[in-house]
Amino acid sequence: MARCPTLSSSHNWDHCGQWTAPWTFLRKMPVILWLLLPDASLPTVRGQTTVPPETVKLWADTFGGNLYNTVTRYSGSLLLQKKYKDAEPSLKIKEVDGLELVKKFSEDMETMLRRKVEAVQSLVEAAEEADLNHEFNASLVFNYYNSVLINEKDDEGNYVELGAEFLLESDAHFSNLRVNVSMSSVQLPTNVYNKDPDILNGVYMSEALNPVFVENFQRDPTLTWQYFGSSTGFFRIYPGIKWIPDENGVIAFDCRNRGWYIQAATSPKDIVILVDVSGSMKGLRMAIAKHTITTILDTLGENDFVNIIAYSDYVHYVEPCFRGILVQADRDNREHFKQLVDALMVKGVGIVSQALVEAFQILKQFQESKQGSLCNQAIMLITDGAVEDYESVFETYNWPDRKVRVFTYLIGRELTFADRLKWIACNNKGYYTQISTLADAQENVMEYLHVLSRPMVINHDHDIIWTEAYMDSQLLTTSEAQSLMLLTTVAMPVFSKKNETRSHGILLGVVGSDVTLRELMKLAPRYKLGVHGYAFLNTNNGYILSHPDLRPLYREGMKLKPKPNYNSVDLSEVEWEDKAEILRTAMINGETGSHSMDVKAPLDKGKRVLFLTNDYFFTDISDTPFSLGVVLTRGHGEYILLGNTSVEEGLHDLLHPDLTLASDWIYCITDIDPDHRKLSQLEAVVRFLTGADPDLECDEELLREVLFDAVVTAPMEAYWTALALNISEDSEPGVDVAFLGTRAGLLRRSLFVGSEKVSDRKFLTPEDEASVFTMDHFPLWYRQASEQVPGSFVFNLQWAEGPDSPGKPVAVRASTAITVTVDGKTAIAAAVGIQMQADYLQRQFWAAMQQCNAVEGPCPKTCEDPDLDCFVIDNNGFILISERPQEMGRLLGEADGALMMQLLSMGVFRRVTMYDYQAMCKLPDHHPSAAGSLMSPLSAFLMVARWLLHECLLFLLEWSAWGSWQDKGSEAHKHKKQDLLHPCDTEYPVFVHQTAIQEANGIIECGVCQKTFVMQQIPSSNLLLLVTDRTCDCSAYSPILQEATEVKYNASVKCDRMRSQKPRRRPGSCHAFHPEENAQDCGGASDTLPSSPLLLLSLWAWLLQHQLLW
């Protein structure tokens, strides 16, 4: 197409444009204004634009008008706004008192958690009384329900031993697992003999817990799992359940390794692990030492502090950044230590004394500076020998008070140094064990917990502990749903009350009960918090217990897996705008108060952002280490709308087939009484309102709002039905669904096409979680509409399978908020909208682009011209309409980096940097150098032989003590190798249209040519029309992407971050020593021996390996 000639500004355009001088001046005004703005740089206009701005404005106005008419017609938004307007005289808008709200929620949560504590206390009393009345019987014969063996039969059809018939029924209260609510069952790890006298006596004694389990559950039907974990290794769980071994036939679960057991059994502790890496520790001894360290780390929790020092000729910290300090033993640090320990190499001569001195100095410094746990302190010495007893070191640093316990672990079968290592432990209130095989580590490491528990046991101090959030996937491997549920556990220790065992401080075990955090958060009803509000919980350590932005899972292939650090996500990493950590500090200190922040709230999986001012209200939950926060958004989030109507009128309007209530919200309590569990929330509400079920407990305030909304929105059903009847079956497909939602969680929808023709069938179903009301959030279309200018619509493009998949855009959703104003206060009552087919929106667009100012004849310019590109983008820069379907749903910067760059530089769009402190990043690839030296065939053979022998040796010795024992450390190592992602911090851009700029045009310099463009706001929407000159190639500009990039910290900053100790609140109790403690009960040699043939074969392999390689 021929271009118009370039004319001076004083000339009028010919038929290509028909500009007048005044209009030309107005056209240049945006450019003049931007030149006057600071930091605004526009290229010098050297060519006349071929895209007339007034034509683009006509297109935008035409398309916007048609779109507005379509959406208002099919959604009925004007009718709904009128219905709420008519109801304003009977409405009240109440300002929410955030402090009163958070206190009320906290009290309700405290009441619920207190009931769990009472259940656990009754179990403790029953267990201790049963033990007091039980006399140990070494020859006891007793059959019990073994969780693995129940209902198992032999080849002849008879029940196997310990596997009698055990009735199991599916129970919705227990995640639809098959359970027996009449009695408990007993689980044992594979490496614990199920007929050992200690096991049989403990199981027999704990039978007394069965009636208590049942009574607790009857008294409090909200209870979930109750259990007793024995110090001997068995685990009694109620209700009884069938336990499924893993794919190798192994039961790896050991209750004594669980956080609830360890925290209840001991007080907080500071631990320094000293590991001998001298030359004598090579091979199997080093493998055992590493496994021992891993086992010790697994016994630590977030209230403990730790460091690991390796020693040979000199002392070195396995993590140099942790030199001279102790770090919190959270999951992040424990996993980091495990990786470093796995890489330890042996060399030199072991000098123990300097390592002991270093450990004592660290512990002393932390104690004096009031850091760490300020409770138990211990040194773990892991070595294959000690040439002296180091009495001088202990005299200087630990005697006579012996405030630091020393636990010694002799690695290997050599007994030469056993007496010295036992002397060290016994003279420092510790415990000595010998670990000869990998299988020995578990039982021997557990001994230190029994020692640390003695003072508490002797005092009979039954401390109540609450754990951090966790997903106990190992506990219930039969249920994926349960394994993905965040829990906290309340637990208490069980002691022997027998006088003859008092000084020994015998811990019988720990009882506990799980609380799902989802159930706890139901006590902070979503409807009271507004569109963007939420409630959250954190621990005394500042870690998130529950938060709508907590993302504990990540996808690996087709599987969802817990992130390695999912339960050590700090409050400051979710509420990251709290840079001064004012909110965090107040909450971990258990204060009651409020704090305000301007925040950038991510939306739509981080693609979008809302700029909000949030008020945070917080208080503690009494008798727990938890604090509760409630967030209310300034503006409409500060108000709650109160309506009223008769039950009869409201009930009539509730009974409509296309009306639903938020299934996650608690209108009526349906999960306690078995007769109620099959009811939907709507069914329960109807039964309550009709008086059909007087036993139902319902939230009457929420029901009032639901009834009011049902009445006000009822006319919409008739309106939509009339519209549907007027649509011809032969008409062109277009709008397929109209919908509305109210602040009370009520949803209505109406189909204009057959259900099989709906463009996105997942919409408004639980499969599309973002489109429905949940416990954590209002629907996405509701949240976006609430921040849109009243009366205008927000549009979103929906994909068949997501924009990163091979699917295609199938639907466009448009929604607008319905507001109510009473006494100068404005609240959002509802949101209403439609879903239309993406093709329908495009057809409307291309029809509007045919409009022009030409009096007669064809338009001189249309978007179908080969030299023009036309885009419709939303306020975050995502393309809704393009001539090229593959660009739809993508960021404009991907399709045209030059144009996006120009819009950013002109201030039309703003780049907002967002952060994600819960991200998972790919590990960098490490490629071996191609220039490496070539091996001789003999060297290659010897290397292969060495590897094979090493693997065989480890295999033989792992199985030497227990034929079916599985090495957890090896399993962890296997997973570590398979993991392709690791936790990281990322930053990513979000692009936001600056609404003050509704039109703009300019020229982009692209080397040998200039690219012209015009941008125009599409009225009553969040959409923009962009028209550009396609003839100028600007591909030299890099695309602008919305990609997350890992935040790389240099070595110094990374080290500082790792060393930093955030403020925390210590647990209230500490039991470090007791004068009646029997310190001479300090251990002996291991009596676990492998079979002789296996030992000889292992020794042969060991010697042969040395002959070949050393």
Side-chain angles (χ1 to χ4, degrees):
M1 185 178 72
R3 294 175 179 262
C4 298
T6 303
L7 301 176
S8 68
S9 60
S10 61
H11 287 73
N12 290 338
W13 281 36
D14 61 9
H15 65 278
C16 293
Q18 298 300 323
W19 284 92
T20 61
W23 181 252
T24 302
F25 176 77
L26 289 174
R27 177 178 58 83
K28 291 186 176 181
M29 279 301 293
V31 177
I32 297 170
L33 289 173
W34 282 114
L35 288 171
L36 294 174
L37 288 173
D39 299 326
S41 58
L42 290 177
T44 305
V45 178
R46 297 202 302 270
Q48 192 64 55
T49 177
T50 62
V51 185
E54 83 281 6
T55 300
V56 176
K57 185 176 190 311
L58 175 64
W59 292 344
D61 290 346
T62 302
F63 178 55
N66 293 343
L67 200 55
Y68 180 79
N69 291 337
T70 298
V71 178
T72 53
R73 179 189 175 209
Y74 281 94
S75 69
S77 59
L78 299 180
L79 173 63
L80 186 60
Q81 181 66 72
K82 180 180 183 302
K83 291 299 178 182
Y84 272 100
K85 184 74 175 176
D86 293 343
E88 281 183 1
S90 64
L91 288 173
K92 293 181 180 178
I93 294 181
K94 176 185 173 184
E95 188 168 353
V96 179
D97 187 328
L99 272 179
E100 287 302 314
L101 195 65
V102 76
K103 289 177 183 176
K104 175 65 168 60
F105 291 169
S106 173
E107 289 169 3
D108 292 343
M109 291 181 180
E110 179 190 342
T111 300
M112 174 188 176
L113 297 180
R114 190 186 303 118
R115 292 200 302 267
K116 315 306 177 191
V117 171
E118 290 169 354
V120 168
Q121 286 173 330
S122 65
L123 290 171
V124 170
E125 293 169 3
E128 291 183 346
E129 188 65 24
D131 176 71
L132 187 62
N133 296 326
H134 175 72
E135 291 293 332
F136 184 85
N137 181 0
S139 58
L140 177 65
V141 177
F142 173 65
N143 287 325
Y144 58 91
Y145 290 110
N146 184 302
S147 291
V148 178
L149 301 176
I150 53 176
N151 299 329
E152 294 290 326
K153 294 183 178 181
D154 58 23
D155 294 338
E156 297 177 359
N158 300 317
Y159 287 107
V160 301
E161 195 173 13
L162 302 182
E165 183 179 8
F166 193 76
L167 182 63
L168 296 171
E169 293 180 345
S170 177
D171 194 316
H173 186 64
F174 295 95
S175 303
N176 291 314
L177 289 173
R178 289 170 54 80
V179 297
N180 186 320
V181 294
S182 300
M183 62 184 70
S184 61
S185 58
V186 176
Q187 176 268 346
L188 296 98
T190 298
N191 63 334
V192 174
Y193 180 44
N194 57 28
K195 286 190 174 182
D196 181 278
D198 287 333
I199 295 295
L200 287 175
N201 278 269
V203 171
Y204 180 81
M205 176 273 294
S206 64
E207 284 283 303
L209 298 181
N210 269 322
V212 185
F213 285 140
V214 175
E215 184 181 340
N216 282 343
F217 189 46
Q218 290 173 345
R219 187 186 310 117
D220 179 9
T222 66
L223 278 172
T224 56
W225 305 98
Q226 304 173 67
Y227 38 82
F228 170 65
S230 167
S231 61
T232 58
F234 75 82
F235 180 64
R236 183 178 287 278
I237 182 170
Y238 173 87
I241 187 172
K242 173 76 173 175
W243 208 284
I244 308 298
D246 65 18
E247 63 272 15
N248 299 312
V250 173
I251 301 291
F253 177 87
D254 190 327
C255 62
R256 297 167 298 177
N257 282 339
R258 313 311 291 168
W260 51 267
Y261 185 99
I262 293 163
Q263 289 182 49
T266 64
S267 295
K269 45 200 172 290
D270 298 337
I271 288 182
V272 179
I273 300 173
L274 304 179
V275 56
D276 184 352
V277 291
S278 63
S280 64
M281 288 286 290
K282 65 184 177 182
L284 179 63
R285 290 183 180 181
M286 196 66 225
I288 296 172
K290 290 178 179 180
H291 182 58
T292 301
I293 295 172
T294 296
T295 306
I296 293 172
L297 289 172
D298 286 338
T299 66
L300 304 180
E302 60 184 31
N303 290 318
D304 303 319
F305 288 77
V306 67
N307 205 338
I308 303 177
I309 297 174
Y311 70 90
S312 54
D313 308 286
Y314 61 97
V315 169
H316 72 276
Y317 290 80
V318 296
E319 173 50 79
C321 276
F322 296 160
R323 173 173 292 277
I325 65 169
L326 299 172
V327 295
Q328 197 168 2
D330 58 29
R331 184 180 291 261
D332 267 350
N333 285 331
R334 295 197 308 267
E335 293 304 315
H336 183 58
F337 274 131
K338 288 177 185 179
Q339 292 181 14
L340 295 170
V341 166
D342 190 51
L344 286 176
M345 305 292 288
V346 298
K347 64 177 180 178
V349 179
I351 302 176
V352 182
S353 58
Q354 57 187 9
L356 284 169
V357 169
E358 185 77 11
F360 277 118
Q361 287 177 342
I362 294 174
L363 294 170
K364 181 181 179 182
Q365 173 194 337
F366 255 58
Q367 187 75 15
E368 290 177 348
S369 61
K370 304 296 182 183
Q371 293 178 281
S373 69
L374 296 183
C375 193
N376 287 295
Q377 291 196 320
I379 295 172
M380 309 297 202
L381 177 60
I382 301 170
T383 180
D384 63 349
V387 298
E388 57 173 298
D389 55 23
Y390 310 105
E391 185 172 349
S392 61
V393 175
F394 299 124
E395 283 181 342
T396 303
Y397 291 97
N398 204 35
W399 294 350
D401 295 333
R402 293 174 170 81
K403 290 185 177 179
V404 178
R405 298 181 189 267
V406 181
F407 297 88
T408 55
Y409 301 89
L410 178 61
I411 303 299
R413 299 187 175 279
E414 179 61 54
L415 295 174
T416 305
F417 303 104
D419 290 343
R420 287 200 184 102
L421 288 174
K422 183 172 181 180
W423 183 91
I424 290 172
C426 294
N427 283 277
N428 291 278
K429 293 188 175 181
Y431 200 90
Y432 157 79
T433 60
Q434 182 177 9
I435 303 179
S436 305
T437 70
L438 291 168
D440 293 342
Q442 175 66 38
E443 293 298 324
N444 286 316
V445 165
M446 296 304 298
E447 293 293 346
Y448 98 86
L449 294 176
H450 299 154
V451 173
L452 293 185
S453 70
R454 285 175 187 164
M456 178 173 60
V457 177
I458 295 170
N459 267 340
H460 283 193
D461 290 321
H462 292 93
D463 292 340
I464 300 165
I465 68 97
W466 291 90
T467 68
E468 72 277 10
Y470 69 99
M471 284 184 245
D472 207 337
S473 56
Q474 292 187 12
L475 175 58
L476 295 172
T477 56
T478 56
S479 169
E480 182 180 357
Q482 177 72 18
S483 67
L484 301 182
M485 194 176 294
L486 282 170
L487 312 169
T488 182
T489 292
V490 56
M492 291 176 65
V494 180
F495 311 136
S496 172
K497 289 185 175 181
K498 296 174 180 176
N499 290 330
E500 61 270 24
T501 64
R502 177 175 171 80
S503 64
H504 293 271
I506 294 179
L507 175 74
L508 299 176
V510 173
V511 295
S513 182
D514 292 342
V515 178
T516 59
L517 294 171
R518 181 182 179 83
E519 293 302 313
L520 189 60
M521 296 308 292
K522 285 179 179 178
L523 298 176
R526 190 68 191 76
Y527 76 95
K528 293 188 176 184
L529 305 177
V531 180
H532 304 302
Y534 54 90
F536 64 94
L537 290 165
N538 66 283
T539 71
N540 58 301
N541 288 295
Y543 296 145
I544 291 294
L545 199 69
S546 178
H547 194 291
D549 291 334
L550 178 65
R551 304 192 315 276
L553 303 174
Y554 75 104
R555 187 171 294 280
E556 184 178 81
M558 298 298 293
K559 292 184 177 180
L560 283 174
K561 297 177 62 176
K563 294 177 181 176
N565 60 338
Y566 74 90
N567 63 353
S568 56
V569 176
D570 196 84
L571 178 62
S572 61
E573 295 174 326
V574 178
E575 301 289 349
W576 51 268
E577 300 281 9
D578 182 29
K579 293 181 171 59
E581 297 193 355
I582 296 171
L583 173 66
R584 182 189 185 279
T585 302
M587 291 191 70
I588 64 168
N589 288 334
E591 297 176 12
T592 298
S594 62
H595 180 62
S596 298
M597 286 192 295
D598 291 327
V599 301
K600 296 186 280 286
L603 206 62
D604 197 8
K605 299 180 180 178
K607 290 167 58 178
R608 311 176 192 282
V609 64
L610 296 178
F611 298 92
L612 307 172
T613 299
N614 283 345
D615 290 324
Y616 294 78
F617 303 92
F618 48 84
T619 190
D620 69 328
I621 301 177
S622 299
D623 301 321
T624 75
F626 308 144
S627 289
L628 172 66
V630 163
V631 180
L632 300 177
T633 302
R634 292 270 179 92
H636 55 76
E638 299 174 292
Y639 305 115
I640 187 168
L641 185 64
L642 303 176
N644 207 354
T645 189
S646 68
V647 171
E648 293 77 14
E649 187 180 7
L651 188 57
H652 173 269
D653 291 327
L654 270 180
L655 300 174
H656 192 282
D658 289 329
L659 182 148
T660 60
L661 299 181
S663 59
D664 275 1
W665 292 16
I666 306 302
Y667 300 85
C668 297
I669 298 173
T670 59
D671 58 350
I672 295 179
D673 189 329
D675 293 334
H676 296 155
R677 288 178 191 152
K678 294 181 180 180
L679 297 176
S680 69
Q681 284 295 318
L682 181 55
E683 290 169 340
V685 168
V686 172
R687 288 175 67 85
F688 175 79
L689 293 175
T690 57
D693 195 336
D695 294 332
L696 273 167
E697 293 183 41
C698 298
D699 185 333
E700 296 190 19
E701 180 182 344
L702 179 54
L703 292 194
R704 280 196 300 271
E705 305 314 317
V706 165
L707 290 174
F708 176 80
D709 287 346
V711 171
V712 176
T713 62
M716 299 300 293
E717 298 289 354
Y719 176 85
W720 289 332
T721 300
L723 269 181
L725 292 174
N726 289 329
I727 298 176
S728 168
E729 291 185 6
D730 299 326
S731 63
E732 194 175 23
V735 178
D736 47 33
V737 179
F739 58 88
L740 67 84
T742 75
R743 86 282 189 218
L746 179 148
L747 273 173
R748 289 186 187 272
R749 75 167 192 157
S750 182
L751 301 184
F752 297 124
V753 297
S755 58
E756 73 283 354
K757 295 182 179 180
V758 173
S759 50
D760 183 358
R761 298 178 193 175
K762 294 181 180 180
F763 182 52
L764 300 180
T765 71
E767 289 183 83
D768 183 6
E769 192 179 69
S771 71
V772 296
F773 292 92
T774 70
M775 279 184 59
D776 291 334
H777 55 70
F778 274 52
L780 174 63
W781 48 267
Y782 198 122
R783 297 187 68 188
Q784 285 186 280
S786 69
E787 299 306 310
Q788 192 72 6
V789 176
S792 65
F793 287 82
V794 61
F795 291 80
N796 267 338
L797 184 68
Q798 302 301 315
W799 283 68
E801 301 173 29
D804 297 322
S805 72
K808 63 176 185 177
V810 293
V812 175
R813 294 173 196 158
S815 58
T816 188
I818 303 300
T819 60
V820 174
T821 301
V822 177
D823 298 331
K825 301 173 184 175
T826 299
I828 293 180
V832 63
I834 62 169
Q835 176 174 279
M836 69 182 85
Q837 296 187 7
D839 294 342
Y840 175 71
L841 183 69
Q842 292 183 69
R843 289 195 299 273
Q844 282 209 336
F845 172 74
W846 296 117
M849 296 306 101
Q850 303 299 320
Q851 302 296 316
C852 62
N853 288 328
V855 177
E856 58 184 33
C859 293
K861 290 286 182 184
T862 76
C863 278
E864 294 178 350
D865 290 349
D867 58 348
L868 290 185
D869 251 346
C870 295
F871 300 99
V872 173
I873 65 174
D874 66 19
N875 57 317
N876 294 115
F878 291 100
I879 300 172
L880 272 77
I881 297 176
S882 168
E883 293 178 78
R884 296 169 290 281
Q886 68 272 19
E887 293 176 347
M888 294 174 63
R890 306 290 177 181
L891 192 69
L892 174 66
E894 291 185 55
D896 194 332
L899 178 56
M900 191 68 184
M901 180 69 74
Q902 186 67 11
L903 293 175
L904 286 167
S905 66
M906 293 174 67
V908 177
F909 274 85
R910 172 187 168 197
R911 183 196 302 261
V912 179
T913 300
M914 301 289 286
Y915 296 93
D916 183 0
Y917 296 102
Q918 303 175 66
M920 298 290 288
C921 299
K922 289 185 178 180
L923 289 167
D925 293 326
H926 296 289
H927 300 289
S929 172
S933 59
L934 294 174
M935 288 186 180
S936 69
L938 178 60
S939 298
F941 171 77
L942 290 176
M943 177 168 286
V944 172
R946 173 183 178 180
W947 178 83
L948 285 171
L949 286 170
H950 183 260
E951 293 299 309
C952 289
L953 175 67
L954 288 179
F955 173 81
L956 290 169
L957 286 170
E958 284 173 16
W959 286 75
S960 61
W962 315 100
S964 58
W965 183 81
Q966 183 184 33
D967 175 21
K968 288 168 56 182
S970 299
E971 185 71 15
H973 182 65
K974 179 182 73 176
H975 288 309
K976 183 181 70 180
K977 284 185 176 179
Q978 291 176 347
D979 286 345
L980 301 176
L981 303 174
H982 71 106
C984 62
D985 300 341
T986 61
E987 62 180 15
Y988 61 94
V990 176
F991 303 95
V992 182
H993 173 231
Q994 302 304 285
T995 54
I997 304 172
Q998 296 189 8
E999 58 184 29
N1001 62 77
I1003 296 176
I1004 306 168
E1005 297 288 347
C1006 297
V1008 297
C1009 64
Q1010 296 175 324
K1011 183 171 187 168
T1012 59
F1013 73 91
V1014 177
M1015 183 278 291
Q1016 184 68 48
Q1017 172 87 46
I1018 296 174
S1020 303
S1021 76
N1022 67 325
L1023 303 179
L1024 305 172
L1025 172 60
L1026 281 166
V1027 181
T1028 71
D1029 175 10
R1030 187 189 292 182
T1031 61
C1032 181
D1033 182 9
C1034 291
S1035 58
Y1037 281 80
S1038 298
I1040 296 177
L1041 309 175
Q1042 193 181 41
E1043 287 186 344
T1045 57
E1046 184 173 358
V1047 179
K1048 299 286 188 180
Y1049 302 104
N1050 63 41
S1052 175
V1053 172
K1054 185 176 181 180
C1055 192
D1056 288 342
R1057 285 171 58 87
M1058 292 171 67
R1059 288 178 64 93
S1060 65
Q1061 304 276 342
K1062 288 183 178 289
R1064 56 186 291 274
R1065 175 165 43 113
R1066 292 180 179 84
S1069 61
C1070 171
H1071 309 281
F1073 296 100
H1074 194 283
E1076 298 179 25
E1077 181 182 343
N1078 180 11
Q1080 294 310 305
D1081 182 7
C1082 52
S1086 171
D1087 57 1
T1088 302
L1089 294 174
S1091 63
S1092 297
L1094 279 174
L1095 180 58
L1096 289 173
L1097 187 58
S1098 303
L1099 182 60
W1100 172 81
W1102 176 254
L1103 291 172
L1104 182 58
Q1105 183 177 222
H1106 274 63
Q1107 291 295 319
L1108 281 171
L1109 303 161
W1110 281 283

